[in-house]
Amino acid sequence: VYTCIFPSVLDTSVVASACTMQVPVGCSVADSKRAYRRLALALHTDKCSVEGAQAAFIKVTNAYQALLRRSGH
């Protein structure tokens, strides 16, 4: 289980995205990409038939995009 620990001064959307992606706040773009690939492969509907997998995949994708926007990429 990944625990999110963050100062209250951080943007909560960034913190939520980092928690969703299971990466530390302020991680590198490479770390974000690695985490996204790992989660996306596990949750993609072609690979995972568990109920809720599609919603989880979309949530992870949105979180990844939010982290990329925040980092300026």
Side-chain angles (χ1 to χ4, degrees):
V1 176
Y2 187 81
T3 305
C4 296
I5 301 172
F6 54 89
S8 59
V9 297
L10 292 175
D11 180 0
T12 56
S13 64
V14 171
V15 172
S17 296
C19 289
T20 298
M21 295 288 298
Q22 300 177 351
V23 295
V25 173
C27 69
S28 69
V29 173
D31 289 339
S32 295
K33 184 175 183 177
R34 240 185 324 274
Y36 174 71
R37 288 182 54 84
R38 178 179 47 84
L39 292 168
L41 285 172
L43 295 171
H44 195 276
T45 54
D46 288 346
K47 302 274 185 177
C48 184
S49 60
V50 175
E51 186 175 329
Q54 182 176 8
F57 177 78
I58 291 168
K59 185 175 181 177
V60 165
T61 300
N62 290 338
Y64 177 63
Q65 291 172 347
L67 288 176
L68 286 182
R69 278 193 305 273
R70 178 69 176 184
S71 68
H73 285 87

